[in-house]
Amino acid sequence: MTSSIERQLVVFDFDWSMADQDTDRWIFEVLAPDIRREMKTLQTEIQWTDLIAQSLAKIHGRGRTKEEIEHTLRIMPFHPAMVRGVTKLKEASNPNTTFFCLSNANSVFISTILESKGLQNLFEEIVTNPAHFEPTGLLKLRRRVDPSGPQHGCKVGCSPNMCKGEELDAFLKRHQPDYDRIVYVGDGANDFCPILRMRSQDMVLCRRFRGLERRIAEEGEQLGLKCQVKYWAGAWEVEEIFNSL
């Protein structure tokens, strides 16, 4: 790695990138498998964030509590190597590293898990779908991009609730000057849009066998992907790469 990197940004997707599971699916697999099965049927008919909101209302109607949801999130698979890797990189003074979370999950899922791992202060910002618990215990979720307002203009295939490319650009504008290097850790097809905006000195850490790897292989060259690509399958490999940064 070049020694001229003084200021770097590490961008994390959350599900299957930082965490070793998908929060949206895990909650229902643990608390209501029949609703999880129903989600597989409905996901082609209902926008995903709306479907999760609808499914959360269903488990609330069955009497599932805030405490049960929080416990389920805390026991979700999350590799100790990921905790070690990000903690060590955050503490290092050279280069100075800023962490940014860019996820299609939601604020309650992410903050609950991060707090349970002692990582609540890791991220400079978390950009995701807003959620909160109502006094009744209902976990209320809405899209980041309100369906009744102006929509994002993504042409690469981001989901309606958020364009991750636009969100990355907006973060970089808020945090000038430019970072010497951006490292993006992702796995899903919706992580393809932001990495298209990255430069030759930047790097994507792409999780194997998921949608992002497929899109890089099929569309990367055609759409002018410039950044370096490193592949990983387990969090211990991300820790190795972080130790070299």
Side-chain angles (χ1 to χ4, degrees), residues 168-186:
L168 176 58
D169 284 348
F171 179 90
L172 294 173
K173 277 183 192 156
R174 291 194 294 273
H175 296 271
Q176 293 289 338
D178 288 344
Y179 292 92
D180 299 320
R181 175 172 59 206
I182 300 170
V183 179
Y184 191 107
V185 186

Side-chain angles (χ1 to χ4, degrees), residues 1-2 4-5 179-184 194-204 224-230:
M1 299 293 170
T2 176
S4 63
I5 306 294
Y179 292 92
D180 299 320
R181 175 172 59 206
I182 300 170
V183 179
Y184 191 107
I195 71 167
L196 283 177
R197 300 165 191 243
M198 288 162 53
R199 308 155 299 183
S200 57
Q201 70 262 42
D202 300 328
M203 180 191 305
V204 58
L225 182 68
K226 298 183 191 71
C227 64
Q228 305 161 50
V229 182
K230 286 184 179 286

Side-chain angles (χ1 to χ4, degrees), residues 30-177:
V30 175
L31 296 178
D34 61 315
I35 293 177
R36 171 72 180 95
R37 172 60 62 193
E38 185 181 67
M39 285 161 55
K40 285 181 77 71
T41 308
L42 294 175
Q43 66 184 6
T44 55
E45 302 169 26
I46 303 173
Q47 194 278 328
W48 183 257
T49 311
D50 297 347
L51 179 57
I52 301 305
Q54 176 181 303
S55 303
L56 288 167
K58 284 182 183 174
I59 63 168
H60 176 68
R62 293 182 181 184
R64 290 298 193 177
T65 64
K66 173 185 177 184
E67 290 72 26
E68 286 177 300
I69 291 172
E70 289 176 335
H71 172 71
T72 302
L73 292 166
R74 291 185 191 113
I75 63 170
M76 196 181 91
F78 197 109
H79 204 295
M82 189 64 76
V83 179
R84 288 195 307 262
V86 298
T87 302
K88 186 174 178 184
L89 191 56
K90 174 90 168 178
E91 289 171 352
S93 56
N94 185 27
N96 179 273
T97 304
T98 299
F99 284 85
F100 170 41
C101 182
L102 186 52
S103 168
N104 269 319
N106 70 68
S107 55
V108 167
F109 286 179
I110 293 171
S111 62
T112 302
I113 292 170
L114 289 176
E115 190 172 354
S116 75
K117 310 304 174 209
L119 298 175
Q120 63 269 29
N121 298 318
L122 176 68
F123 290 110
E124 180 77 15
E125 289 187 31
I126 297 173
V127 168
T128 188
N129 297 297
H132 69 276
F133 281 105
E134 302 265 278
T136 61
L138 169 66
L139 181 51
K140 195 92 171 174
L141 168 65
R142 60 186 173 84
R143 300 187 203 182
R144 177 165 176 84
V145 176
D146 190 319
S148 63
Q151 300 303 288
H152 65 67
C154 183
K155 303 288 191 293
V156 185
C158 283
S159 51
N161 61 291
M162 184 198 307
C163 171
K164 286 191 167 188
E166 290 182 8
E167 297 289 359
L168 176 58
D169 284 348
F171 179 90
L172 294 173
K173 277 183 192 156
R174 291 194 294 273
H175 296 271
Q176 293 289 338

Side-chain angles (χ1 to χ4, degrees), residues 199-245:
R199 308 155 299 183
S200 57
Q201 70 262 42
D202 300 328
M203 180 191 305
V204 58
L205 307 188
C206 172
R207 193 161 199 173
R208 286 274 187 199
F209 316 121
R210 305 192 67 81
L212 180 58
E213 182 180 18
R214 185 179 65 250
R215 290 200 74 180
I216 290 172
E218 293 175 359
E219 304 170 68
E221 188 177 350
Q222 171 195 345
L223 294 180
L225 182 68
K226 298 183 191 71
C227 64
Q228 305 161 50
V229 182
K230 286 184 179 286
Y231 294 97
W232 62 282
W236 63 278
E237 294 169 290
V238 174
E239 181 184 24
E240 278 185 338
I241 296 166
F242 279 1
N243 286 343
S244 74
L245 297 178

